[in-house]
């Protein structure tokens, strides 16, 4: 393949054959495409002599060549004459352009490359992945060595700059795992974050969690490959109209299965970023003048039984015995959320590995700590996602597996099902003073959509799931019935208030019969608002809130044995 690749036509034909091989995909195809392209470019460069090297950088340097990827190339030279270097560049660039392949190219001496890297973080990151293709290998090796040395020497200054760049990118492109049309490269949890994690590891200051990371990265690359092949375009944006084709190319059931796979990969990458950047911050703080001694003597502040705070994270006390304490994971999670601090990943991994399963039914303490976690406000979101990443959530609630990373194609929804549920619990926490049983409100908020992903109406399916789940959690029969009713009827108030005639006594009576008592009614009222606010800005309004409140007032009157009254009757009584 390489021997015949000097001709653009031969290379193009070989490339088409490779991309058309159905038996070869994923990493083997990307490696084969990189090898094929390397051979062709090496034949174009020919025998350029000493002091000239052709170098792949960026994604091409990493061997992540997708069907429509740019070729990121650096023609490195030791200071040859302008005409000679220009002729070499023409010999390389024009055949690439003639084939319509996008090219990101530069011609530099090692000194010029280092100065460009010093001025541009992206250039610096690209050179960290520099890979020799052809020419003088010593020139490439020397540049790589210097770039790595400069990166490590300047890590205390460069890593904060990289982190701010990742934050700005996330602000512009959003969170990949919640977008219906995600950018696989730029969104948070995407391919650029995988590159950033590699750069952090190269600094030797910190490293990313390895479990699942390579597989998540490979998943996003596989999806991008399929996207390029099915659309024929160099794009990283997975738009709705292309999702069915991409799913079919990857032999997935449907577009929802595709999105869920993408979201799972992005979740792994996002969590790895959270953990890694927290470790970077810890290391950089420890390296500040005067802080090393303070760090060695830093106190471990008690937070709960078996749980302490150390260096800005929630960790296990030295006396903790997770193998003897099944409630310790919940106690640690609740304490972390209440303190607004992240749980340490090593602590979570130890808990996941050592703590025994919760007894069935759960002991009272476990149920109370669970409710405390849910009621801790915004901090509960990050803690919950860390617990989920380490497998603790599904250890407590196996039913969570069906809703994790499940997409919601209704554009009103801004979150996946799992994130929507924890966001609803956070919103419900603002209404706990409105209800007699705050614990039931918070648990109902977390579980109201647990039936999604199951056959039939998700409210009906969810009711059956919650009956079993609530009993396992130790709720008595009466509380279990309330939770089941809340899940079964969590859409009742909003749908009735906005679609039915509230002046019709039969409408109000139907709602009253379904709800059953005023305690469940007030719980549903708070849940309805929390659910809508957690859905997105278009799901709740003053108008909708007023209609729901009116329906609740009328239904409450019926449940208390009073006549709801018509609008005309209320007007006459007011006069």
């Amino acid at each position: 393949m390489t021997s015949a690749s000097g001709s653009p036509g031969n290379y193009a034909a070989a490339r088409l054959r490779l991309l058309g091989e159905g038996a070869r995909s994923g990493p083997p195809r990307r490696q084969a495409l990189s090898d094929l392209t390397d051979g062709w470019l090496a034949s174009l460069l020919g025998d350029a002599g000493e002091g000239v090297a052709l170098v792949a950088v960026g994604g091409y340097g990493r061997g992540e060549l997708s069907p429509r990827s740019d070729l990121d190339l650096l023609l490195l030279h030791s200071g040859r004459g302008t005409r000679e270097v220009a002729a070499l560049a023409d010999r390389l660039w024009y055949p690439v352009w003639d084939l319509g392949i996008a090219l990101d190219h530069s011609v530099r001496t090692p000194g010029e490359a280092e100065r460009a890297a010093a001025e541009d973080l992206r250039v610096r990151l690209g050179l960290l992945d520099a890979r020799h293709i052809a020419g003088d290998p010593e020139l490439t090796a020397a540049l790589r060595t210097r770039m790595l040395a400069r990166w490590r020497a300047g890590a205390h200054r460069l890593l904060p700059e990289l982190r701010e760049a990742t934050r700005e990118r996330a602000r512009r492109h959003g969170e990949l795992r919640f977008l219906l049309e995600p950018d696989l490269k730029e969104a948070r949890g995407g391919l650029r974050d995988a590159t950033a994690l590699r750069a952090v590891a190269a600094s030797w200051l910190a490293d990313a969690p390895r479990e699942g990371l390579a597989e998540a990265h490979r998943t996003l690359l596989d999806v991008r490959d399929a996207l390029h092949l099915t659309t024929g375009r160099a794009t990283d944006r997975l738009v709705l109209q292309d999702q069915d084709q991409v799913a079919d190319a990857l032999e997935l059931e449907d577009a929802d299965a595709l999105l869920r796979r993408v979201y799972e990969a992005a979740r792994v990458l996002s969590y790895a970023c959270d953990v890694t950047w927290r470790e970077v911050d810890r290391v950089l703080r420890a390296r500040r003048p005067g802080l090393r001694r303070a760090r060695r003597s830093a106190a471990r502040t008690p937070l709960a039984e078996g749980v302490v705070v150390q260096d800005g994270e929630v960790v296990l006390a030295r006396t903790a015995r997770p193998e003897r304490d099944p409630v310790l994971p919940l106690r640690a999670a609740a304490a972390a959320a209440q303190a607004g601090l992240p749980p340490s990943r090593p602590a979570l991994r130890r808990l996941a590995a050592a703590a025994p399963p919760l007894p069935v039914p759960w002991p009272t303490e476990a149920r109370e700590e669970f409710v405390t976690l849910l009621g801790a406000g915004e901090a509960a979101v990050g803690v919950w996602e860390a617990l989920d990443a380490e497998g603790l959530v599904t250890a407590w609630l196996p039913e969570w597996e069906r809703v994790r990373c499940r997409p919601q194609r209704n554009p009103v929804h801004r979150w996946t099902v799992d994130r929507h549920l924890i966001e609803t619990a956070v919103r419900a926490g603002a209404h706990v003073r409105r209800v007699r049983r705050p614990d039931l409100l918070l648990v109902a908020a977390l579980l109201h959509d647990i039936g999604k992903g199951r056959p039939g109406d998700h409210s009906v399916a969810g009711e059956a799931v919650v009956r079993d789940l609530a009993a396992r959690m130790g709720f008595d029969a009466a509380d279990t019935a309330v939770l089941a009713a809340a899940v079964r009827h969590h859409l009742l108030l909003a749908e009735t208030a906005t679609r039915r005639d509230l002046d019709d006594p039969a409408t109000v009576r139907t709602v009253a019969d379904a709800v059953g008592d005023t305690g469940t009614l007030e719980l549903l009222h708070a849940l309805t608002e929390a659910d809508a606010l957690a859905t997105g800005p278009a799901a709740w309004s003053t108008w909708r809130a007023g209609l729901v409140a009116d329906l609740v007032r009328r239904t409450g009157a019926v449940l208390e044995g009073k006549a709801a009254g018509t609008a005309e009757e209320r007007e006459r009584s007011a006069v």
Side-chain angles (χ1 to χ4, degrees):
M1 196 179 291
T2 301
S3 61
S5 59
S7 160
N10 289 345
Y11 169 73
R15 180 185 172 98
L16 283 174
R17 284 195 301 272
L18 173 61
L19 296 179
E21 291 177 4
R24 190 169 359 183
S25 61
R29 181 169 62 198
R30 286 189 288 275
Q31 185 62 58
L33 184 57
S34 292
D35 291 345
L36 174 68
T37 305
D38 286 356
W40 177 53
L41 292 171
S43 68
L44 291 178
L45 181 65
D47 183 10
E50 293 183 4
V52 175
L54 183 60
V55 183
V57 297
Y60 182 26
R62 295 187 297 272
E64 297 171 359
L65 205 55
S66 291
R68 293 282 178 170
S69 289
D70 295 357
L71 295 184
D72 297 323
L73 292 169
L74 166 64
L75 182 59
L76 193 63
H77 66 96
S78 56
R80 290 198 177 186
T82 303
R83 287 187 179 180
E84 185 180 358
V85 171
L88 285 172
D90 288 347
R91 201 159 80 199
L92 288 163
W93 309 153
Y94 277 100
V96 176
W97 287 326
D98 288 343
L99 290 181
I101 297 174
L103 179 64
D104 187 349
H105 61 91
S106 58
V107 180
R108 291 182 174 124
T109 64
E112 290 169 343
E114 290 183 47
R115 286 192 292 275
E119 296 170 359
D120 190 326
L121 182 62
R122 283 203 176 189
V123 173
R124 187 185 293 268
L125 293 176
L127 288 173
L128 288 179
D129 292 313
R131 179 174 58 81
H132 183 73
I133 296 176
D136 187 346
E138 292 183 4
L139 199 61
T140 304
L143 178 63
R144 273 185 54 83
T145 299
R146 284 196 298 273
M147 292 310 303
L148 280 169
R150 287 179 178 273
W151 179 252
R152 288 164 184 159
H156 64 286
R157 172 178 52 85
L158 295 169
L159 289 183
E161 182 183 350
L162 176 59
R163 182 173 192 179
E164 183 52 39
T166 64
R167 285 173 169 166
E168 177 58 30
R169 178 166 40 77
R171 284 191 287 268
R172 290 197 313 270
H173 297 281
E175 186 100 5
L176 194 158
R177 59 188 173 139
F178 303 130
L179 299 171
L180 280 177
E181 294 188 320
D183 188 310
L184 301 171
K185 187 174 184 179
E186 303 291 348
R188 184 173 186 270
L191 293 169
R192 281 215 189 276
D193 276 329
T195 301
L197 291 176
R198 285 171 58 94
V200 173
S203 74
W204 289 352
L205 283 187
D207 199 1
R210 296 303 180 94
E211 293 79 9
L213 193 60
E215 182 180 352
H217 186 206
R218 185 168 59 249
T219 293
L220 294 184
L221 289 172
D222 289 349
V223 173
R224 185 173 69 174
D225 286 358
L227 180 62
H228 284 191
L229 287 172
T230 56
T231 64
R233 301 192 308 273
T235 179
D236 298 305
R237 184 85 179 276
L238 189 59
V239 299
L240 292 173
Q241 67 190 38
D242 297 328
Q243 290 174 11
D244 285 319
Q245 281 182 289
V246 174
D248 186 60
L250 293 170
E251 299 182 347
L252 297 174
E253 183 179 355
D254 54 25
D256 275 4
L258 168 66
L259 280 184
R260 195 172 187 191
R261 178 170 292 190
V262 168
Y263 292 165
E264 285 277 11
R267 181 178 71 93
V268 171
L269 278 160
S270 293
Y271 179 60
C273 287
D274 290 341
V275 172
T276 302
W277 286 118
R278 202 158 64 234
E279 177 66 9
V280 168
D281 286 345
R282 186 190 66 77
V283 172
L284 292 180
R285 282 198 308 270
R287 289 189 169 201
R288 290 174 191 161
L291 289 185
R292 292 184 182 181
R293 183 181 301 173
R295 173 169 162 68
R296 284 196 296 269
S297 61
R300 291 164 64 90
T301 307
L303 201 59
E305 183 185 349
V307 184
V308 299
V309 177
Q310 184 179 35
D311 205 14
E313 291 186 329
V314 174
V315 303
L316 299 183
R318 294 188 179 95
T319 57
R321 296 292 180 268
E323 65 278 1
R324 302 177 186 173
D325 189 352
V327 182
L328 182 56
L330 274 169
R331 192 184 310 124
Q338 283 195 306
L341 294 172
S344 157
R345 183 171 184 265
L348 290 181
R349 291 182 64 76
R350 184 181 171 197
L351 289 169
L358 285 168
V360 177
W362 291 8
T364 300
E365 184 194 358
R367 199 164 55 254
E368 289 174 347
E369 296 290 3
F370 188 75
V371 170
T372 299
L373 167 61
L374 297 182
E378 291 289 344
V381 176
V383 173
W384 183 272
E385 293 194 338
L387 295 168
D388 195 21
E390 299 299 343
L392 286 160
V393 170
T394 48
W396 302 326
L397 311 175
E399 297 84 354
W400 194 259
E401 185 66 38
R402 280 184 178 261
V403 298
R404 183 195 287 116
C405 294
R406 182 167 292 279
Q408 306 201 81
R409 291 194 174 271
N410 185 332
V412 173
H413 278 277
R414 61 184 298 193
W415 308 114
T416 51
V417 176
D418 56 337
R419 180 60 177 267
H420 170 71
L421 291 176
I422 188 63
E423 290 282 347
T424 303
V426 169
R427 296 286 187 169
H431 302 305
V432 293
R433 296 183 185 277
R434 289 170 42 183
V435 299
R436 284 165 250 184
R437 290 291 301 276
D439 58 333
L440 297 184
L441 171 60
L442 292 169
V443 174
L446 181 73
L447 302 176
H448 72 278
D449 278 344
I450 200 69
K452 288 190 173 179
R454 297 172 185 268
D457 185 328
H458 79 277
S459 299
V460 176
E463 177 187 11
V465 171
V466 167
R467 285 190 183 279
D468 291 339
L469 206 160
R472 282 205 320 272
M473 294 174 72
F475 287 103
D476 63 25
D479 289 346
T480 296
V482 172
L483 287 170
V487 171
R488 173 69 180 85
H489 300 300
H490 70 273
L491 298 175
L492 177 66
L493 297 183
E495 290 183 347
T496 302
T498 56
R499 299 178 185 179
R500 301 286 296 277
D501 179 9
L502 300 190
D503 285 328
D504 183 352
T507 298
V508 179
R509 172 57 65 184
T510 298
V511 174
D513 289 344
V515 172
D517 60 75
T518 55
T520 303
L521 177 64
E522 67 182 16
L523 189 152
L524 276 175
H525 189 190
L527 176 57
T528 298
E529 183 171 345
D531 183 15
L533 290 171
T535 296
W540 196 244
S541 64
T542 303
W543 169 79
R544 190 178 295 264
L547 289 176
V548 170
D550 189 21
L551 174 59
V552 169
R553 182 190 62 77
R554 293 169 185 251
T555 304
V558 169
L559 290 171
E560 292 172 1
K562 301 174 183 178
T566 64
E568 291 80 2
E569 289 171 339
R570 291 200 309 277
E571 289 179 7
R572 284 198 298 272
S573 63
V575 173

